């Protein structure tokens, strides 16, 4: 499973890319606002840092506006994947962009039926927002598993991206359900790396060896 960072903060992206932890990036207008930095500048920095898929979202809500933005965004860099909302207008735009070979990430997906339409229209990525479903008392993993099953039933090639991650548990659920990608906030990626028992275990190995008075092997 590929790991993406869900961030519009170039420093966070650089750190995780250089550590070899991420394969790509997803951004959205809310993340840009949260980062409190100039969005255009941030995106330009991310585009030169990461050689992997970078999802950038359109801001138009009508098909024609989405098409105009999508074509312009796709021209920015070969790694750009255009994020479109999964609305009737977004699906119309998807139908037109697929034959143009513009790679799309259909976002704000909350049901298996939405994902079915996205798969039929051959999007590059579908993004079910798991955390937001769990937030309102639904069981997001059930929806994700349904999407996996439907895509396998019909050999849809659209990649399933587990989005809106709230915890390391979500990352494990994504991997177990056979998602192609999980996009994680910076803090969650950090949590994946660390375990307190690893830290205490290492400290004990070193303390025990020091106490033994023996010489290291090399
Ligand atoms: O990639 C989608 C993600 O940014 C949404 O996350 O935390 O706003 O539900 P969240």
């Amino acid at each position: 499973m590929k790991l993406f960072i869900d961030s519009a903060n170039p420093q966070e992206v650089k750190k995780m890319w250089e550590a070899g932890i991420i394969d790509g990036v997803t951004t959205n207008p809310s993340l840009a606002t949260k980062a409190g930095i100039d969005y255009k500048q941030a995106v330009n920095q991310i585009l030169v840092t990461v050689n992997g898929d970078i999802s950038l979202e359109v801001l138009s809500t009508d098909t024609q506006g989405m098409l105009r933005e999508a074509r312009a965004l796709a021209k920015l860099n070969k790694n750009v994947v255009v994020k479109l909302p999964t609305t009737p207008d977004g699906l119309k735009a998807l139908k037109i962009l697929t034959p143009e070979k513009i790679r799309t990430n259909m976002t704000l997906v909350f049901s298996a039926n939405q994902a079915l339409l996205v798969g039929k229209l051959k999007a590059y990525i579908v993004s079910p927002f798991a955390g937001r479903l769990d937030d309102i008392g639904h069981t997001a993993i059930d929806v994700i598993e349904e999407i996996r099953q439907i895509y396998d039933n019909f050999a849809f090639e659209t990649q399933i991206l587990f989005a809106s991650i709230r915890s390391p548990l979500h990352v494990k659920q994504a991997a177990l359900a056979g998602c192609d990608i999980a996009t994680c906030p910076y803090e969650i990626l950090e949590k994946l790396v660390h375990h307190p028992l690893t830290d205490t275990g290492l400290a004990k190995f070193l303390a025990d060896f020091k106490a033994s008075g023996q010489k290291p092997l090399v």
Side-chain angles (χ1 to χ4, degrees), residues 132-146:
R132 291 192 195 181
L133 278 172
D134 284 344
D135 286 349
I136 59 160
H138 288 248
T139 310
I141 190 61
D142 291 348
V143 177
I144 304 276
E145 285 173 354
E146 287 170 355

Side-chain angles (χ1 to χ4, degrees), residues 6 28 83 129 132 163-164 166 183:
D6 196 30
N28 65 41
K83 257 176 136 175
F129 274 33
R132 291 192 195 181
S164 178
R166 298 277 181 270
T183 191

Side-chain angles (χ1 to χ4, degrees), residues 14-33:
K14 190 166 190 281
K15 205 169 157 195
M16 288 299 167
W17 176 255
E18 287 179 350
I21 289 173
I22 55 162
D23 305 282
V25 182
T26 50
T27 63
N28 65 41
S30 305
L31 289 168
T33 307

Side-chain angles (χ1 to χ4, degrees), residues 48-60:
V48 293
T49 305
V50 173
N51 186 16
D53 289 345
I54 298 165
S55 287
L56 303 177
E57 188 147 348
V58 299
L59 298 173
S60 302

